[in-house]
Amino acid sequence: METSLETLLLIHCAVVSVVLAVAWRLLARRGLFHWLTAGFWAWVAFTLYFVVNPFFSVLEGDLDRYDICLTLAGGFERWLWILVVIIAGITVFFLAYLRTTFRPVTFQIKPIRQITPTLFFVMLVFIGLGLWFLILFRSNLYEVSGIMIRGGRFVGAVTGWQYSGHKFLFVPTVFLMLSNRRGLRMIGLLLGLAYIILALPNAGARFATLSMLLVMILAHIKVVHRRWPSWPLILLLVLMAGMFVLRGHTAWSLGGDLKTDITEKVIEIPGKIGSILSSQDTRMLATLYFESYYVDTLTGYNYGLQPLNYLLLGWVPTRFFPHKYFMLKWIQSLHRTPPVWADQLLYGAKSSMVGAFYCMGNIVAVIIGMWIMGFLSRRLDGMLAEGTPCLVQALALSWMGNLWMIWGSNFSWGLINVGTTAVPALAMWFVSRKGISAMNPVMKKGHYRLMFRRGYLVDRRQSGSRRSMQDQDKI
């Protein structure tokens, strides 16, 4: 079985690599293969979860999880079917992404030359809340009672908003870092560094901390009008990612041993590259093998009711509305009860967004879901067009820095992550000045046909001439 499994995984990696190579070529030809596009981060996620992890799992001989999941799911037939599903999902995503017309997104916010007192006050409120939740629940400085999580839901005295409220710091941090004023940029940088330092000890915030560093790098390259960061920044990001993988779910302390803990893990990285790239943190393909079998034969599909329930009522604290997941419970009551061992095998494991769509309704749901994701990803690019308001760009970069995690998670978790991050932006949008002339006249909807090519806005009515527009926000 081991030789057969190794062969199957290598064939899988080769086939998916060909699909991703074609996608890379298409993105590169249109100037969309760089750090400030959602398509790039989708490509990175697909490569990491569906090529890099299985390939290095074969090289390292770490195939126990793959062996168990694929054997229980039916072996060769399940491997072939999931390969078809993944190819279909990736292909549909990039088709939708590349076919969607680029359009600047402004949410009708007028450009501003300075932060208004009301906007500044709202931002301070969320910075305060974010820091408070970060220190209380993620810094390991305090032992907080009342945190009860069952099945991924908060049922104790501490709500999900409080536990996830540290995400409130993302948008204000990026908003300040995008400023044209050096003082505000420095405050944003310090705020981001404070987040990383305070969240570093918490094992549950490992990859949120990594996302904050990534978001800060994205904000920096946006400010300096580049598409790629410098090599020292890339190396810093890689070292932090490797350190977190080797650390696992071990909690650290902000005490005197923290420097020693970090140094030890960083020193281990060069000798453990293979184990890092084959770690369980990115082993979504193995879970997808069994989860697809789980919904096909043991339970049934949720037909999108699970994410719909989270979208409509997930933001309401459970202690205020304990029956908010009534739609989810209803669809579960119609399903067959799976064996206990099956639930245990999937406990805490994630199969990527492809798997989340599959659980909604087989390959049909995958095709529909990936098409929608491709469309929305291109709209996310539009939020970063030159001249869009600073607040819109801050929200887009905050989301983009989390895309690698969202693609590797389930749809409901992605909704929660996106929604929590957007709360400060929504409040700041509410007190911002609105108007249909939110952007430079040449960028008004319907005035010119615009394209985003190689980092510049192209005006088709100017004989294909290319020019870069300055940001309209002067804060």
Side-chain angles (χ1 to χ4, degrees):
M1 178 64 184
E2 286 187 5
T3 303
S4 172
L5 177 59
E6 291 173 355
T7 303
L8 292 178
L9 289 179
L10 289 176
I11 294 174
H12 168 95
C13 293
V15 174
V16 177
S17 295
V18 171
V19 176
L20 290 173
V22 174
W24 165 78
R25 181 59 179 165
L26 293 174
L27 290 172
R29 288 180 61 183
R30 300 193 181 194
L32 297 174
F33 193 80
H34 58 85
W35 281 46
L36 293 179
T37 64
F40 170 82
W41 290 108
W43 188 92
V44 169
F46 297 149
T47 302
L48 179 61
Y49 303 135
F50 300 137
V51 176
V52 173
N53 184 276
F55 179 76
F56 278 91
S57 294
V58 173
L59 292 185
E60 293 291 312
D62 186 11
L63 297 173
D64 290 345
R65 175 75 178 181
Y66 282 100
D67 192 4
I68 293 172
C69 290
L70 193 55
T71 300
L72 292 174
F76 176 80
E77 291 78 9
R78 182 60 51 175
W79 167 85
L80 182 60
W81 174 237
I82 292 305
L83 179 59
V84 172
V85 170
I86 290 175
I87 292 174
I90 294 175
T91 302
V92 168
F93 171 83
F94 284 112
L95 282 176
Y97 180 77
L98 294 171
R99 287 178 61 86
T100 301
T101 304
F102 178 82
R103 183 175 300 165
V105 178
T106 67
F107 298 116
Q108 295 190 344
I109 301 176
K110 285 187 176 181
I112 58 176
R113 293 191 175 274
Q114 61 181 1
I115 301 178
T116 63
T118 305
L119 183 63
F120 184 73
F121 173 76
V122 171
M123 184 172 61
L124 280 182
V125 168
F126 280 99
I127 290 176
L129 287 174
L131 286 173
W132 173 244
F133 293 143
L134 176 65
I135 294 172
L136 192 61
F137 301 112
R138 296 289 185 168
S139 66
N140 290 0
L141 292 175
Y142 302 97
E143 292 186 6
V144 181
S145 60
I147 302 178
M148 295 179 61
I149 305 175
R150 294 177 183 172
R153 302 170 191 166
F154 291 82
V155 295
V158 177
T159 67
W161 281 111
Q162 293 171 312
Y163 196 73
S164 303
H166 60 95
K167 301 289 289 187
F168 290 165
L169 290 173
F170 275 67
V171 169
T173 297
V174 181
F175 184 77
L176 292 171
M177 289 189 66
L178 293 178
S179 172
N180 286 337
R181 296 185 179 181
R182 181 177 299 178
L184 292 179
R185 289 202 303 270
M186 184 58 64
I187 293 175
L189 176 62
L190 293 176
L191 185 60
L193 291 176
Y195 179 99
I196 292 174
I197 293 172
L198 290 172
L200 192 59
N202 189 277
R206 290 180 303 156
F207 296 121
T209 309
L210 185 65
S211 289
M212 174 57 84
L213 176 60
L214 177 56
V215 163
M216 293 171 66
I217 293 175
L218 293 175
H220 169 71
I221 64 176
K222 182 65 177 175
V223 168
V224 298
H225 301 287
R226 297 180 60 179
R227 299 187 298 169
W228 296 82
S230 60
W231 283 109
L233 290 177
I234 295 177
L235 179 61
L236 176 63
L237 188 67
V238 170
L239 289 177
M240 180 173 282
M243 178 188 69
F244 282 146
V245 172
L246 291 177
R247 167 191 167 186
H249 289 88
T250 303
W252 284 348
S253 171
L254 282 174
D257 294 334
L258 181 60
K259 182 179 179 180
T260 303
D261 293 335
I262 294 175
T263 303
E264 289 177 352
K265 293 304 178 184
V266 171
I267 292 175
E268 291 180 23
I269 291 175
K272 294 188 176 181
I273 294 296
S275 60
I276 290 173
L277 296 176
S278 63
S279 73
Q280 61 181 356
D281 294 311
T282 55
R283 206 169 292 167
M284 282 66 186
L285 178 60
T287 303
L288 180 55
Y289 286 140
F290 183 74
E291 189 176 52
S292 60
Y293 166 81
Y294 181 88
V295 296
D296 282 343
T297 63
L298 297 179
T299 59
Y301 311 112
N302 61 54
Y303 301 107
L305 289 181
Q306 178 180 1
L308 179 62
N309 202 161
Y310 276 95
L311 181 63
L312 295 178
L313 296 170
W315 54 275
V316 181
T318 302
R319 63 184 181 185
F320 298 144
F321 187 10
H323 303 294
K324 66 178 181 178
Y325 293 115
F326 63 92
M327 284 190 290
L328 182 56
K329 292 180 179 179
W330 175 74
I331 193 66
Q332 288 175 341
S333 68
L334 302 179
H335 289 166
R336 298 180 294 276
T337 302
V340 176
W341 61 266
D343 280 337
Q344 291 177 342
L345 188 60
L346 290 176
Y347 181 79
K350 296 179 177 63
S351 62
S352 80
M353 289 290 287
V354 175
F357 289 133
Y358 191 94
C359 291
M360 296 182 195
N362 209 295
I363 193 172
V364 176
V366 172
I367 292 174
I368 296 174
M370 295 298 278
W371 186 274
I372 295 174
M373 288 294 291
F375 172 82
L376 294 177
S377 294
R378 196 67 178 120
R379 287 290 177 260
L380 181 59
D381 290 349
M383 295 171 65
L384 289 175
E386 294 293 336
T388 52
C390 183
L391 178 58
V392 176
Q393 294 188 17
L395 178 59
L397 292 175
S398 298
W399 281 343
M400 197 166 287
N402 285 275
L403 281 181
W404 69 278
M405 278 199 307
I406 293 174
W407 276 112
S409 187
N410 57 57
F411 195 79
S412 300
W413 185 91
L415 282 176
I416 294 172
N417 189 288
V418 167
T420 306
T421 305
V423 169
L426 181 62
M428 294 168 70
W429 172 88
F430 186 78
V431 299
S432 298
R433 296 177 60 192
K434 316 295 190 309
I436 59 174
S437 58
M439 298 186 67
N440 189 296
V442 301
M443 300 181 67
K444 286 183 181 180
K445 180 179 177 182
H447 192 74
Y448 294 129
R449 183 180 179 181
L450 298 171
M451 293 181 63
F452 193 56
R453 178 176 294 172
R454 301 191 184 280
Y456 296 93
L457 280 168
V458 181
D459 180 3
R460 288 280 187 160
R461 290 183 57 180
Q462 294 182 4
S463 302
S465 63
R466 182 179 298 171
R467 66 190 182 90
S468 177
M469 301 180 62
Q470 297 295 324
D471 292 345
Q472 297 298 304
D473 288 302
K474 305 293 183 181
I475 61 175

